[in-house]
Amino acid sequence: MVKIGNIELEDFPLLLAPMEDVSDPPFRALCKQQGADMVYTEFISSEGLIRDAAKSVKKLDIFKEERPVGIQIFGANMDSMLQTIDIVSQAKPDFIDINYGCPVKKVVSKGAGAGILQDIDKMVSLTEAMVKRTNLPITVKTRLGWDASSIHIVEVAERLQDVGVQAIAIHGRTRKQMYKGEADWKPIAEVKNNQRMYIPIFGNGDVNTPEKAVEMRDEYGLDGAMIGRASIGNPWFFKQVKHFIKTGEHLAPISIADRVEMARKHLDMSIQWKDSEIVGVMEMRRHYGNYFKGIPHFKEYRLKLVTSDKLQDVYDVLEEIQQKFG
Ligand SMILES: Cc1cc2nc3c(=O)[nH]c(=O)nc-3n(C[C@H](O)[C@H](O)[C@H](O)COP(=O)(O)O)c2cc1C
């Protein structure tokens, strides 16, 4: 069993990674239904929340069917982050995750996300203050280091544990790598193998087949796998990995009928959550390419899906896809 505060997860849990514009309540619920053991919100700006920016506040929505769920926050200013902890705690997540891994310039340039990897003392003191501010478990998601010459993740993880962090998810790339190259899980295994570590260490980066999840468990000895891109348009991935772990066999590929049904369910849930047909229809557009990836001669249908403004029109295209490819 893997424990984070009072959260109890089965052995080698599969975590849905925080993903901007992807890990919203509908998608999190779908992944949970398909076997994800724990889910995260997308990152939420501390400064945005404090200003009560409506968009940031909406991101705090969590629902009982997706628990355990963590709210992920990012920022670099001590006062703002502490205020953010207070605001976020009221939304009653199961834990709060701090993003020390986002590589994008506009975040990093303010010293937030992976930017803080250039100032480990600040990272530790900020984290310590946040841990003291709340009774909820605080977890961290980070990268190996700023660049190849500054991979100090073993010491960083130890220091985070010492100030009370209850789990760490590590993406096996540096900030400099952004998303390029292959994720390196070896330094993550070094964190796990450090005799002083007792909190769960989750591996992240490029878990895109069931075999890779097994490798992360058996060859790297990590406590669980955090899965991002492989789940986009593919919430079944969690179930597929679990089945493979249990039986050593692969589940049958997902049928077109199942893909159509899942996309439709996702669309309906988005409309319901946003309480707006048009917003749900628009937001769903970014997902179709992934739901129907790999289908030959699909372009015409994808185009229709992403240009239809009316719900019934989208339903009709989905029906057409089912007829044509199902
Ligand atoms: C579309 C997208 C949005 C992301 N947004 C976030 C985010 O909000 N917070 C975060 O910590 N990581 C974010 N990430 C990084 C993922 O959580 C993860 O670390 C990365 O994709 C590597 O894992 P993967 O190979 O399983 O995708 C994002 C990644 C993608 C592809």
Side-chain angles (χ1 to χ4, degrees):
M1 201 217 295
V2 171
K3 274 194 85 170
I4 303 166
N6 291 329
I7 309 168
E8 295 183 350
L9 305 170
E10 67 178 62
D11 260 351
F12 201 72
L14 304 179
L15 282 38
L16 170 65
M19 285 186 283
E20 185 178 21
D21 291 336
V22 178
S23 304
D24 58 8
F27 186 64
R28 298 196 304 258
L30 292 174
C31 290
K32 185 78 202 297
Q33 283 167 21
Q34 295 298 325
D37 294 288
M38 193 166 90
V39 301
Y40 294 64
T41 66
E42 66 177 279
F43 70 165
I44 304 177
S45 154
S46 151
E47 304 300 336
L49 257 189
I50 288 168
R51 285 198 316 272
D52 198 21
K55 207 172 156 206
S56 298
V57 174
K58 182 79 182 155
K59 291 178 186 171
L60 294 176
D61 276 2
I62 51 182
F63 299 90
K64 76 171 183 304
E65 63 271 19
E66 54 171 310
R67 288 185 185 277
V69 54
I71 292 180
Q72 191 192 60
I73 58 174
F74 74 98
N77 177 277
M78 176 73 85
D79 283 345
S80 307
M81 286 300 259
L82 292 178
Q83 276 187 61
T84 299
I85 291 283
D86 297 343
I87 298 169
V88 166
S89 298
Q90 286 169 23
K92 298 196 168 38
D94 297 283
F95 64 102
I96 299 174
D97 186 72
I98 311 168
N99 177 319
Y100 291 142
C102 177
V104 308
K105 216 173 186 168
K106 73 169 197 281
V107 172
V108 165
S109 62
K110 298 199 178 98
I116 210 163
L117 287 166
Q118 289 180 301
D119 188 349
I120 302 299
D121 288 342
K122 182 175 176 190
M123 180 191 203
V124 173
S125 55
L126 192 62
T127 308
E128 181 172 24
M130 287 189 274
V131 168
K132 287 189 174 144
R133 188 77 165 206
T134 176
N135 291 326
L136 289 169
I138 295 281
T139 63
V140 159
K141 176 167 180 278
T142 188
R143 289 183 173 233
L144 300 180
W146 177 256
D147 60 17
S149 67
S150 62
I151 297 182
H152 307 299
I153 189 66
V154 173
E155 300 91 85
V156 170
E158 216 180 282
R159 290 181 68 185
L160 291 172
Q161 175 181 269
D162 287 346
V163 297
V165 164
Q166 303 215 29
I168 306 178
I170 305 168
H171 179 182
R173 287 186 176 86
T174 60
R175 186 274 165 174
K176 192 159 179 221
Q177 281 177 291
M178 306 296 282
Y179 287 88
K180 290 196 274 294
E182 244 179 72
D184 183 2
W185 300 344
K186 284 194 292 298
I188 314 177
E190 282 169 32
V191 172
K192 176 65 199 168
N193 290 333
N194 175 358
Q195 296 296 319
R196 282 207 59 232
M197 294 305 285
Y198 51 84
I199 59 172
I201 302 300
F202 301 121
N204 172 240
D206 302 347
V207 179
N208 49 19
T209 60
E211 284 83 350
K212 283 212 185 160
V214 169
E215 189 185 340
M216 191 173 255
R217 183 189 67 171
D218 296 346
E219 286 171 39
Y220 292 81
L222 302 183
D223 292 307
M226 176 183 273
I227 293 161
R229 289 166 293 180
S231 68
I232 305 180
N234 186 21
W236 303 275
F237 188 64
F238 297 96
K239 188 170 76 178
Q240 291 167 338
V241 171
K242 293 227 152 152
H243 183 82
F244 186 78
I245 286 178
K246 214 153 128 197
T247 66
E249 285 172 15
H250 289 276
L251 283 170
I254 306 302
S255 68
I256 300 290
D258 285 346
R259 295 199 227 180
V260 167
E261 194 193 314
M262 187 68 84
R264 190 180 156 123
K265 196 162 152 190
H266 195 162
L267 169 64
D268 290 343
M269 288 165 79
S270 293
I271 292 169
Q272 197 185 8
W273 175 52
K274 289 289 180 174
D275 201 16
S276 157
E277 186 175 307
I278 186 67
V279 177
V281 165
M282 299 297 238
E283 294 221 334
M284 207 36 213
R285 288 180 174 179
R286 65 172 73 104
H287 294 283
Y288 297 120
N290 288 300
Y291 273 114
F292 300 109
K293 202 155 60 190
I295 302 177
H297 312 297
F298 191 74
K299 207 170 157 194
E300 168 197 341
Y301 297 89
R302 203 187 83 87
L303 201 66
K304 280 201 244 179
L305 284 171
V306 300
T307 49
S308 302
D309 293 333
K310 295 207 175 59
L311 180 60
Q312 190 54 51
D313 293 347
V314 180
Y315 283 159
D316 291 346
V317 185
L318 288 171
E319 182 59 33
E320 226 182 307
I321 293 168
Q322 162 66 22
Q323 297 298 331
K324 164 111 181 144
F325 302 98

Tab-separated table of all heavy atoms in Angstrom, residues 16-23 41-44 72 74 97-103 141-143 170-173 179 183 204-208 226-232, ligand 1:
chain	number	residue	atom	x	y	z
A	16	LEU	N	-3.074	10.302	-12.557
A	16	LEU	CA	-3.292	11.168	-13.717
A	16	LEU	C	-2.517	12.466	-13.477
A	16	LEU	O	-2.747	13.153	-12.474
A	16	LEU	CB	-4.783	11.477	-13.908
A	16	LEU	CG	-5.073	12.573	-14.943
A	16	LEU	CD1	-4.659	12.135	-16.346
A	16	LEU	CD2	-6.547	12.957	-14.921
A	17	ALA	N	-1.619	12.791	-14.392
A	17	ALA	CA	-0.772	13.977	-14.238
A	17	ALA	C	-1.594	15.262	-14.338
A	17	ALA	O	-2.612	15.304	-15.026
A	17	ALA	CB	0.303	13.982	-15.327
A	18	PRO	N	-1.125	16.306	-13.658
A	18	PRO	CA	-1.756	17.610	-13.864
A	18	PRO	C	-1.446	18.081	-15.286
A	18	PRO	O	-0.285	18.049	-15.691
A	18	PRO	CB	-1.056	18.509	-12.836
A	18	PRO	CG	0.220	17.823	-12.476
A	18	PRO	CD	0.024	16.356	-12.729
A	19	MET	N	-2.475	18.481	-16.020
A	19	MET	CA	-2.233	18.978	-17.389
A	19	MET	C	-3.164	20.143	-17.681
A	19	MET	O	-4.393	20.005	-17.655
A	19	MET	CB	-2.449	17.855	-18.414
A	19	MET	CG	-1.310	16.831	-18.441
A	19	MET	SD	-1.511	15.628	-19.762
A	19	MET	CE	-2.772	14.566	-19.059
A	20	GLU	N	-2.537	21.268	-17.998
A	20	GLU	CA	-3.285	22.485	-18.291
A	20	GLU	C	-4.271	22.232	-19.435
A	20	GLU	O	-3.905	21.628	-20.452
A	20	GLU	CB	-2.300	23.590	-18.688
A	20	GLU	CG	-2.981	24.925	-18.892
A	20	GLU	CD	-1.994	26.033	-19.245
A	20	GLU	OE1	-0.885	25.732	-19.703
A	20	GLU	OE2	-2.374	27.200	-19.073
A	21	ASP	N	-5.495	22.693	-19.260
A	21	ASP	CA	-6.549	22.572	-20.267
A	21	ASP	C	-6.939	21.125	-20.575
A	21	ASP	O	-7.688	20.869	-21.512
A	21	ASP	CB	-6.153	23.252	-21.590
A	21	ASP	CG	-6.103	24.754	-21.449
A	21	ASP	OD1	-6.773	25.274	-20.542
A	21	ASP	OD2	-5.390	25.403	-22.230
A	22	VAL	N	-6.426	20.183	-19.840
A	22	VAL	CA	-6.789	18.778	-20.057
A	22	VAL	C	-7.387	18.177	-18.776
A	22	VAL	O	-8.479	17.591	-18.802
A	22	VAL	CB	-5.565	17.929	-20.496
A	22	VAL	CG1	-5.943	16.459	-20.666
A	22	VAL	CG2	-4.957	18.473	-21.787
A	23	SER	N	-6.660	18.343	-17.657
A	23	SER	CA	-7.078	17.676	-16.405
A	23	SER	C	-8.198	18.440	-15.699
A	23	SER	O	-8.059	18.840	-14.548
A	23	SER	CB	-5.889	17.560	-15.450
A	23	SER	OG	-4.818	16.896	-16.040
A	41	THR	N	-5.526	18.397	-10.360
A	41	THR	CA	-6.050	19.461	-11.219
A	41	THR	C	-4.890	19.963	-12.079
A	41	THR	O	-3.734	19.670	-11.802
A	41	THR	CB	-6.545	20.675	-10.405
A	41	THR	OG1	-5.413	21.287	-9.745
A	41	THR	CG2	-7.592	20.281	-9.391
A	42	GLU	N	-5.202	20.733	-13.091
A	42	GLU	CA	-4.146	21.436	-13.806
A	42	GLU	C	-3.543	22.465	-12.857
A	42	GLU	O	-4.121	22.758	-11.799
A	42	GLU	CB	-4.710	22.150	-15.036
A	42	GLU	CG	-5.674	23.279	-14.719
A	42	GLU	CD	-6.152	23.998	-15.990
A	42	GLU	OE1	-5.405	24.844	-16.476
A	42	GLU	OE2	-7.256	23.701	-16.473
A	43	PHE	N	-2.407	23.042	-13.199
A	43	PHE	CA	-1.802	24.023	-12.286
A	43	PHE	C	-2.651	25.297	-12.219
A	43	PHE	O	-3.274	25.705	-13.192
A	43	PHE	CB	-0.336	24.298	-12.618
A	43	PHE	CG	-0.031	25.054	-13.879
A	43	PHE	CD1	1.236	25.601	-14.059
A	43	PHE	CD2	-0.972	25.225	-14.887
A	43	PHE	CE1	1.560	26.309	-15.203
A	43	PHE	CE2	-0.662	25.927	-16.047
A	43	PHE	CZ	0.613	26.469	-16.186
A	44	ILE	N	-2.706	25.847	-11.032
A	44	ILE	CA	-3.519	27.047	-10.808
A	44	ILE	C	-2.600	28.146	-10.293
A	44	ILE	O	-1.839	27.943	-9.346
A	44	ILE	CB	-4.654	26.756	-9.797
A	44	ILE	CG1	-5.509	25.566	-10.282
A	44	ILE	CG2	-5.513	27.999	-9.583
A	44	ILE	CD1	-6.603	25.146	-9.327
A	72	GLN	N	-3.310	21.453	-7.747
A	72	GLN	CA	-1.924	21.873	-7.962
A	72	GLN	C	-1.830	23.388	-8.093
A	72	GLN	O	-2.599	23.997	-8.843
A	72	GLN	CB	-1.328	21.231	-9.217
A	72	GLN	CG	0.181	21.462	-9.258
A	72	GLN	CD	0.823	21.114	-10.582
A	72	GLN	OE1	0.475	21.683	-11.609
A	72	GLN	NE2	1.774	20.196	-10.566
A	74	PHE	N	0.834	26.987	-8.412
A	74	PHE	CA	2.193	27.461	-8.698
A	74	PHE	C	2.317	28.944	-8.381
A	74	PHE	O	1.333	29.684	-8.407
A	74	PHE	CB	2.603	27.183	-10.148
A	74	PHE	CG	1.943	28.078	-11.174
A	74	PHE	CD1	2.610	29.202	-11.667
A	74	PHE	CD2	0.683	27.801	-11.648
A	74	PHE	CE1	2.012	30.034	-12.623
A	74	PHE	CE2	0.073	28.619	-12.600
A	74	PHE	CZ	0.738	29.731	-13.088
A	97	ASP	N	-0.779	20.042	-4.189
A	97	ASP	CA	0.486	19.770	-4.857
A	97	ASP	C	1.114	21.085	-5.310
A	97	ASP	O	0.429	21.967	-5.831
A	97	ASP	CB	0.248	18.865	-6.075
A	97	ASP	CG	1.558	18.443	-6.723
A	97	ASP	OD1	2.264	17.616	-6.122
A	97	ASP	OD2	1.877	18.939	-7.824
A	98	ILE	N	2.412	21.179	-5.113
A	98	ILE	CA	3.107	22.397	-5.553
A	98	ILE	C	3.882	22.089	-6.824
A	98	ILE	O	4.623	21.108	-6.887
A	98	ILE	CB	4.082	22.908	-4.478
A	98	ILE	CG1	3.373	22.983	-3.120
A	98	ILE	CG2	4.594	24.298	-4.853
A	98	ILE	CD1	4.342	23.207	-1.983
A	99	ASN	N	3.662	22.943	-7.810
A	99	ASN	CA	4.319	22.766	-9.106
A	99	ASN	C	5.680	23.454	-9.087
A	99	ASN	O	5.766	24.679	-9.085
A	99	ASN	CB	3.421	23.369	-10.202
A	99	ASN	CG	4.055	23.292	-11.582
A	99	ASN	OD1	5.248	23.522	-11.745
A	99	ASN	ND2	3.263	22.975	-12.577
A	100	TYR	N	6.733	22.629	-9.054
A	100	TYR	CA	8.091	23.131	-9.202
A	100	TYR	C	8.697	22.538	-10.474
A	100	TYR	O	9.885	22.234	-10.520
A	100	TYR	CB	8.956	22.722	-8.001
A	100	TYR	CG	8.604	23.390	-6.684
A	100	TYR	CD1	8.665	22.662	-5.487
A	100	TYR	CD2	8.245	24.732	-6.609
A	100	TYR	CE1	8.376	23.253	-4.264
A	100	TYR	CE2	7.947	25.323	-5.383
A	100	TYR	CZ	8.018	24.584	-4.216
A	100	TYR	OH	7.729	25.169	-3.008
A	101	GLY	N	7.843	22.355	-11.491
A	101	GLY	CA	8.357	21.685	-12.679
A	101	GLY	C	8.010	22.347	-14.000
A	101	GLY	O	8.581	22.010	-15.034
A	102	CYS	N	7.054	23.296	-13.973
A	102	CYS	CA	6.616	23.885	-15.238
A	102	CYS	C	7.788	24.620	-15.906
A	102	CYS	O	8.406	25.507	-15.311
A	102	CYS	CB	5.456	24.851	-15.006
A	102	CYS	SG	4.948	25.642	-16.537
A	103	PRO	N	8.090	24.278	-17.173
A	103	PRO	CA	9.278	24.851	-17.819
A	103	PRO	C	9.006	26.110	-18.634
A	103	PRO	O	9.933	26.690	-19.173
A	103	PRO	CB	9.700	23.710	-18.750
A	103	PRO	CG	8.410	23.068	-19.169
A	103	PRO	CD	7.464	23.225	-17.999
A	141	LYS	N	5.568	18.315	-7.252
A	141	LYS	CA	5.910	17.741	-8.561
A	141	LYS	C	7.037	18.594	-9.131
A	141	LYS	O	6.932	19.818	-9.179
A	141	LYS	CB	4.703	17.762	-9.492
A	141	LYS	CG	5.034	17.260	-10.897
A	141	LYS	CD	3.766	16.986	-11.678
A	141	LYS	CE	4.076	16.498	-13.072
A	141	LYS	NZ	4.380	17.603	-14.013
A	142	THR	N	8.109	17.937	-9.518
A	142	THR	CA	9.250	18.700	-10.000
A	142	THR	C	9.983	17.945	-11.107
A	142	THR	O	9.523	16.910	-11.564
A	142	THR	CB	10.196	19.060	-8.820
A	142	THR	OG1	11.207	19.949	-9.280
A	142	THR	CG2	10.837	17.827	-8.192
A	143	ARG	N	11.093	18.523	-11.534
A	143	ARG	CA	11.939	17.910	-12.561
A	143	ARG	C	13.292	17.544	-11.955
A	143	ARG	O	13.580	17.900	-10.812
A	143	ARG	CB	12.129	18.882	-13.733
A	143	ARG	CG	10.872	19.056	-14.562
A	143	ARG	CD	11.125	19.965	-15.748
A	143	ARG	NE	9.952	19.984	-16.615
A	143	ARG	CZ	9.966	19.729	-17.923
A	143	ARG	NH1	11.098	19.467	-18.546
A	143	ARG	NH2	8.856	19.760	-18.636
A	170	ILE	N	8.356	13.021	-9.783
A	170	ILE	CA	9.502	13.585	-10.497
A	170	ILE	C	9.431	13.259	-11.985
A	170	ILE	O	9.356	12.089	-12.370
A	170	ILE	CB	10.831	13.063	-9.901
A	170	ILE	CG1	10.885	13.359	-8.397
A	170	ILE	CG2	12.026	13.710	-10.626
A	170	ILE	CD1	12.009	12.647	-7.661
A	171	HIS	N	9.427	14.317	-12.793
A	171	HIS	CA	9.474	14.171	-14.246
A	171	HIS	C	10.951	14.030	-14.619
A	171	HIS	O	11.748	14.908	-14.288
A	171	HIS	CB	8.832	15.417	-14.875
A	171	HIS	CG	8.829	15.412	-16.366
A	171	HIS	ND1	8.338	16.452	-17.108
A	171	HIS	CD2	9.250	14.499	-17.260
A	171	HIS	CE1	8.471	16.182	-18.400
A	171	HIS	NE2	9.012	15.001	-18.513
A	172	GLY	N	11.271	12.947	-15.317
A	172	GLY	CA	12.676	12.630	-15.605
A	172	GLY	C	13.325	13.469	-16.678
A	172	GLY	O	14.021	12.939	-17.555
A	173	ARG	N	13.072	14.758	-16.664
A	173	ARG	CA	13.751	15.685	-17.572
A	173	ARG	C	14.169	16.921	-16.783
A	173	ARG	O	13.611	17.205	-15.722
A	173	ARG	CB	12.809	16.139	-18.709
A	173	ARG	CG	12.529	15.073	-19.751
A	173	ARG	CD	11.715	15.661	-20.913
A	173	ARG	NE	11.508	14.688	-21.974
A	173	ARG	CZ	10.516	13.791	-22.014
A	173	ARG	NH1	9.628	13.760	-21.053
A	173	ARG	NH2	10.425	12.943	-23.020
A	179	TYR	N	10.376	19.292	-23.249
A	179	TYR	CA	9.787	17.956	-23.461
A	179	TYR	C	10.633	17.135	-24.432
A	179	TYR	O	10.187	16.105	-24.927
A	179	TYR	CB	8.351	18.085	-23.979
A	179	TYR	CG	7.414	18.528	-22.892
A	179	TYR	CD1	7.209	19.878	-22.640
A	179	TYR	CD2	6.784	17.598	-22.073
A	179	TYR	CE1	6.390	20.300	-21.618
A	179	TYR	CE2	5.966	18.003	-21.038
A	179	TYR	CZ	5.780	19.359	-20.824
A	179	TYR	OH	4.968	19.759	-19.792
A	183	ALA	N	12.811	10.791	-21.267
A	183	ALA	CA	12.866	10.984	-19.816
A	183	ALA	C	13.865	9.984	-19.238
A	183	ALA	O	13.929	8.837	-19.671
A	183	ALA	CB	11.482	10.764	-19.211
A	204	ASN	N	7.644	9.977	-13.435
A	204	ASN	CA	6.854	10.608	-14.493
A	204	ASN	C	7.743	10.873	-15.712
A	204	ASN	O	8.917	11.177	-15.597
A	204	ASN	CB	6.251	11.929	-13.970
A	204	ASN	CG	5.580	12.752	-15.054
A	204	ASN	OD1	5.959	13.888	-15.320
A	204	ASN	ND2	4.579	12.179	-15.695
A	205	GLY	N	7.098	10.751	-16.870
A	205	GLY	CA	7.775	11.048	-18.128
A	205	GLY	C	7.845	9.839	-19.029
A	205	GLY	O	8.542	8.871	-18.739
A	206	ASP	N	7.050	9.900	-20.112
A	206	ASP	CA	7.107	8.883	-21.170
A	206	ASP	C	6.539	7.523	-20.788
A	206	ASP	O	6.888	6.520	-21.428
A	206	ASP	CB	8.549	8.692	-21.686
A	206	ASP	CG	9.151	9.976	-22.232
A	206	ASP	OD1	8.396	10.942	-22.452
A	206	ASP	OD2	10.371	10.011	-22.446
A	207	VAL	N	5.706	7.432	-19.792
A	207	VAL	CA	5.027	6.158	-19.545
A	207	VAL	C	3.885	6.093	-20.564
A	207	VAL	O	2.804	6.641	-20.347
A	207	VAL	CB	4.482	6.054	-18.098
A	207	VAL	CG1	3.752	4.718	-17.905
A	207	VAL	CG2	5.609	6.194	-17.090
A	208	ASN	N	4.182	5.476	-21.698
A	208	ASN	CA	3.179	5.466	-22.776
A	208	ASN	C	2.832	4.056	-23.261
A	208	ASN	O	2.126	3.904	-24.253
A	208	ASN	CB	3.630	6.355	-23.943
A	208	ASN	CG	5.063	6.055	-24.346
A	208	ASN	OD1	5.582	4.992	-24.018
A	208	ASN	ND2	5.698	6.963	-25.040
A	226	MET	N	3.142	8.347	-12.705
A	226	MET	CA	2.263	9.460	-13.055
A	226	MET	C	2.198	9.524	-14.583
A	226	MET	O	3.233	9.537	-15.254
A	226	MET	CB	2.810	10.765	-12.495
A	226	MET	CG	2.005	11.971	-12.913
A	226	MET	SD	2.722	13.505	-12.324
A	226	MET	CE	1.980	13.625	-10.716
A	227	ILE	N	0.974	9.544	-15.088
A	227	ILE	CA	0.781	9.430	-16.539
A	227	ILE	C	0.115	10.680	-17.093
A	227	ILE	O	-0.948	11.095	-16.620
A	227	ILE	CB	-0.080	8.175	-16.831
A	227	ILE	CG1	0.740	6.921	-16.456
A	227	ILE	CG2	-0.526	8.136	-18.291
A	227	ILE	CD1	-0.080	5.688	-16.249
A	228	GLY	N	0.744	11.264	-18.093
A	228	GLY	CA	0.198	12.466	-18.704
A	228	GLY	C	-0.296	12.214	-20.110
A	228	GLY	O	-1.415	11.733	-20.333
A	229	ARG	N	0.576	12.482	-21.078
A	229	ARG	CA	0.161	12.494	-22.483
A	229	ARG	C	-0.493	11.209	-22.962
A	229	ARG	O	-1.404	11.252	-23.796
A	229	ARG	CB	1.365	12.862	-23.368
A	229	ARG	CG	1.764	14.330	-23.209
A	229	ARG	CD	3.119	14.610	-23.792
A	229	ARG	NE	4.180	13.937	-23.042
A	229	ARG	CZ	5.464	14.000	-23.335
A	229	ARG	NH1	5.854	14.692	-24.380
A	229	ARG	NH2	6.356	13.374	-22.597
A	230	ALA	N	-0.048	10.069	-22.443
A	230	ALA	CA	-0.608	8.801	-22.928
A	230	ALA	C	-2.097	8.663	-22.591
A	230	ALA	O	-2.791	7.817	-23.162
A	230	ALA	CB	0.162	7.625	-22.338
A	231	SER	N	-2.580	9.500	-21.687
A	231	SER	CA	-3.998	9.391	-21.305
A	231	SER	C	-4.897	10.353	-22.089
A	231	SER	O	-6.124	10.222	-22.058
A	231	SER	CB	-4.161	9.684	-19.809
A	231	SER	OG	-3.888	11.054	-19.558
A	232	ILE	N	-4.296	11.293	-22.796
A	232	ILE	CA	-5.115	12.301	-23.494
A	232	ILE	C	-5.867	11.628	-24.642
A	232	ILE	O	-5.259	10.974	-25.491
A	232	ILE	CB	-4.251	13.476	-24.017
A	232	ILE	CG1	-3.444	14.106	-22.870
A	232	ILE	CG2	-5.133	14.535	-24.673
A	232	ILE	CD1	-2.550	15.272	-23.302
B	1	LIG	C1	-0.916	19.605	-22.332
B	1	LIG	C2	-0.036	19.492	-21.124
B	1	LIG	C3	-0.274	20.306	-20.035
B	1	LIG	C4	0.515	20.198	-18.879
B	1	LIG	N1	0.213	20.959	-17.778
B	1	LIG	C5	0.874	20.724	-16.616
B	1	LIG	C6	0.457	21.350	-15.400
B	1	LIG	O1	-0.513	22.118	-15.353
B	1	LIG	N2	1.162	21.064	-14.273
B	1	LIG	C7	2.240	20.203	-14.260
B	1	LIG	O2	2.826	19.955	-13.206
B	1	LIG	N3	2.635	19.601	-15.397
B	1	LIG	C8	1.973	19.826	-16.550
B	1	LIG	N4	2.324	19.123	-17.669
B	1	LIG	C9	3.404	18.115	-17.581
B	1	LIG	C10	2.820	16.734	-17.267
B	1	LIG	O3	2.196	16.717	-16.010
B	1	LIG	C11	3.941	15.676	-17.283
B	1	LIG	O4	4.899	16.000	-16.321
B	1	LIG	C12	4.623	15.558	-18.644
B	1	LIG	O5	3.684	15.599	-19.698
B	1	LIG	C13	5.442	14.271	-18.736
B	1	LIG	O6	4.632	13.134	-18.540
B	1	LIG	P1	4.078	12.249	-19.781
B	1	LIG	O7	5.258	11.841	-20.581
B	1	LIG	O8	3.383	11.099	-19.122
B	1	LIG	O9	3.179	13.135	-20.547
B	1	LIG	C14	1.588	19.258	-18.838
B	1	LIG	C15	1.829	18.460	-19.956
B	1	LIG	C16	1.035	18.562	-21.097
B	1	LIG	C17	1.315	17.661	-22.261
